[in-house]
């Protein structure tokens, strides 16, 4: 195992691990539920996640207290940023209570949430802000109802997501990020329309390449619209220029409109993988730790918690897992034999 620097305060006696490729652990993505009220074709296609789909039973989900304890231990090991995700995180009741419980965690400087916006009322946005949520990302794949309803699989209208974005802005989240997964033939005709809508709006629109997460979304390379193509199309209408990253390992490449109308981002995880800078750990709703979005196997921390393990034992387990980490799936993807399916966890289970 490799070791990095020591931290002050609560984390004083804990050595922060780096993995076999020298990557520290800085971010923890926490899935709070595997359930979602959308059936996006690229994530939870309704044909495969129907009424008979077996979601995790309630008793197997981490409780808020368990999540908070784990977050505190991850923070001791170097994590500074938490992102709540799912499934749809707002279907988990009283999520703002979890945010309030996480906010005072020593070492945590940023708590964010990714949502489809369907349950983000004005009151919910305010209560999340009051609880200490720092940032919100809302997913929206198109501006025309026909395209969006077909992509979200449940006929959810665009207008309600736009209202949710307004509620987030009104509650003081600034900027709000908007995630658009671009899939060839499904919504790539909406790229310029989305850019035009969010220019100068206080939102940062991020174009995400359709990824081969899980095994149920029928991913094919020809359905990926490369980020370079998205940027070229936008640049042709509204010239853009590169913006330096906010911090090393930032997932999105940042660009700004030369005319001052704000910023956009591209997440090119397929065509320009960024594994070598990946500092993200992921916790499923039932407490399984994964060190890669494309992992097949994880380590069950919930069982350790429920067996009465003390903090030192859990910290040791997490540090050992991170120290042994060698995954760089996206960089290796192109070398895989086409047609040979590899078992992977679903995005709805581990969160984005
Ligand atoms: N339900 C929430 C939402 O819709 O934002 C949070 C979970 S969702 C899995 C997180 C993000 O992952 C969303 O922005 C979603 O669009 C994105 N996503 C899901 N499947 C994807 C895929 N196959 N490729 C790229 N992004 C994907």
């Amino acid at each position: 195992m490799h070791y990095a620097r020591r931290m002050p305060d609560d984390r004083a006696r804990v050595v922060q691990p780096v993995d076999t490729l020298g990557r520290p652990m800085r971010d923890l993505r926490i899935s709070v539920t595997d359930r979602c009220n959308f059936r996006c074709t690229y994530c939870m296609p309704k044909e495969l996640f129907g009424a008979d789909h077996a979601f995790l039973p309630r008793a197997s989900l981490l409780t808020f207290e368990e999540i908070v304890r784990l977050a505190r231990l991850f923070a001791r090991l170097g994590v500074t940023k938490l992102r709540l995700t799912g499934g749809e995180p707002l279907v988990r009741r009283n999520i703002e209570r979890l945010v309030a419980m996480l906010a005072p965690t020593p070492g945590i400087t940023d708590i964010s949430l990714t949502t489809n916006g369907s349950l983000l009322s004005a009151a919910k946005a305010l209560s999340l802000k009051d609880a200490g949520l720092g940032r919100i990302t809302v997913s929206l794949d198109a501006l025309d109802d026909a395209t969006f309803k077909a992509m979200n699989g449940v006929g959810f209208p665009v207008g309600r997501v736009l209202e949710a974005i307004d509620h987030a802005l009104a509650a003081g989240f600034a900027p709000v990020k908007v995630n658009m997964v671009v899939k060839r033939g499904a919504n790539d005709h909406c790229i310029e329309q989305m850019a035009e809508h969010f220019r100068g709006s206080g939102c940062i629109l991020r174009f995400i390449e359709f990824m081969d997460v899980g095994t149920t979304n029928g991913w094919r390379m020809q359905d990926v619209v490369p980020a370079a193509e998205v940027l070229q199309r936008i640049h042709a209408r509204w010239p853009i220029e590169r913006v330096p990253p906010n911090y090393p390992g930032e997932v999105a490449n940042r660009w700004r409109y030369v005319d001052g109308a704000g910023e956009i981002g591209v997440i090119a995880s397929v065509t320009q993988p960024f594994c070598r800078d990946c500092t993200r750990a992921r916790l499923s709703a039932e407490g399984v730790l994964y060190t890669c979005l494309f992992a097949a196997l994880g380590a069950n921390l919930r069982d350790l918690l429920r067996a009465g393990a003390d903090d030192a034992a859990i910290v040791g387990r997490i540090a050992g897992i991170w120290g042994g980490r060698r995954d760089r799936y996206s960089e290796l993807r192109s070398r895989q034999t086409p047609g040979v399916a590899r078992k992977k966890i679903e995005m709805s289970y581990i969160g984005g």
Side-chain angles (χ1 to χ4, degrees):
M1 193 191 303
H2 303 247
Y3 288 107
R5 68 202 166 94
R6 289 167 183 274
M7 291 291 284
D9 71 45
D10 177 49
R11 295 153 286 158
R13 288 176 306 282
V14 177
V15 179
Q16 297 188 356
V18 294
D19 71 10
T20 63
L21 301 176
R23 299 168 294 190
M25 182 167 64
R26 292 283 177 258
D27 318 71
L28 179 64
R29 300 203 168 183
I30 304 171
S31 171
V32 294
T33 176
D34 61 333
R35 289 167 197 265
C36 188
N37 52 349
F38 280 17
R39 287 292 176 272
C40 298
T41 52
Y42 51 76
C43 188
M44 294 180 83
K46 59 175 176 262
E47 301 73 29
L48 294 162
F49 292 84
D52 56 347
H53 179 76
F55 288 101
L56 295 172
R58 176 135 195 101
S60 74
L61 298 187
L62 291 180
T63 63
F64 286 175
E65 286 71 18
E66 288 170 331
I67 292 175
V68 171
R69 180 169 175 215
L70 284 177
R72 182 168 53 79
L73 302 181
F74 273 94
R76 282 200 203 167
L77 290 167
V79 165
T80 60
K81 295 166 72 176
L82 303 176
R83 176 171 294 276
L84 302 179
T85 177
E88 170 48 45
L90 298 188
V91 305
R92 180 96 187 235
R93 250 188 302 146
N94 297 325
I95 187 84
E96 56 277 23
R97 191 168 76 81
L98 175 63
V99 173
M101 289 164 70
L102 288 169
T105 307
I108 297 300
T109 56
D110 182 45
I111 305 179
S112 58
L113 175 131
T114 308
T115 174
N116 61 27
S118 59
L119 301 170
L120 190 63
S121 62
K124 193 72 166 179
L126 274 174
S127 66
L128 286 164
K129 182 79 183 160
D130 288 347
L133 189 72
R135 296 181 299 127
I136 285 193
T137 299
V138 179
S139 303
L140 177 64
D141 296 326
L143 282 174
D144 70 278
D145 265 333
T147 306
F148 185 56
K149 286 180 174 180
M151 278 185 91
N152 66 48
V154 293
F156 199 84
V158 172
R160 301 248 322 262
V161 182
L162 293 177
E163 278 169 25
I165 292 171
D166 287 344
H167 295 324
L169 289 167
F173 292 102
V176 171
K177 289 182 182 156
V178 176
N179 276 356
M180 171 184 182
V181 176
V182 186
K183 188 173 172 199
R184 177 107 46 212
N187 66 340
D188 53 327
H189 61 287
C190 306
I191 290 171
E192 287 86 351
Q193 195 189 16
M194 286 283 284
E196 183 161 37
H197 181 87
F198 287 106
R199 274 166 48 81
S201 68
C203 297
I204 299 179
L205 176 61
R206 291 145 23 117
F207 300 94
I208 306 181
E209 288 180 350
F210 171 42
M211 290 187 285
D212 52 333
V213 279
T215 48
T216 56
N217 68 5
W219 184 86
R220 302 176 311 169
M221 187 66 204
Q222 65 255 44
D223 295 334
V224 177
V225 180
E229 182 181 325
V230 173
L231 290 170
Q232 237 169 29
R233 282 172 55 174
I234 297 200
H235 186 68
R237 285 278 296 275
W238 306 280
I240 47 175
E241 61 191 9
R242 191 74 194 258
V243 183
N246 283 311
Y247 52 87
E250 191 171 24
V251 174
N253 291 330
R254 303 171 62 201
W255 296 77
R256 75 176 148 232
Y257 294 107
V258 173
D259 66 5
E263 190 176 318
I264 58 169
V266 288
I267 302 181
S269 30
V270 177
T271 61
Q272 300 161 47
F274 35 81
C275 303
R276 70 197 59 229
D277 294 324
C278 177
T279 56
R280 285 174 289 284
R282 296 165 189 275
L283 195 59
S284 77
E286 53 179 348
V288 180
L289 170 63
Y290 293 90
T291 56
C292 179
L293 183 54
F294 300 95
L297 286 176
N300 191 319
L301 301 181
R302 184 201 61 202
D303 288 352
L304 208 57
L305 286 176
R306 293 188 184 173
D310 64 12
D311 285 357
I314 299 170
V315 162
R317 178 95 173 99
I318 300 169
I321 291 163
W322 191 267
R325 176 189 190 225
R326 48 176 41 85
D327 41 43
R328 51 192 189 96
Y329 173 82
S330 293
E331 290 180 351
L332 300 176
R333 171 194 288 115
S334 50
R335 296 188 212 157
Q336 279 187 349
T337 317
V340 177
R342 182 175 160 278
K343 193 169 161 34
K344 289 174 281 170
I345 40 159
E346 297 299 323
M347 184 84 144
S348 52
Y349 172 76
I350 192 63

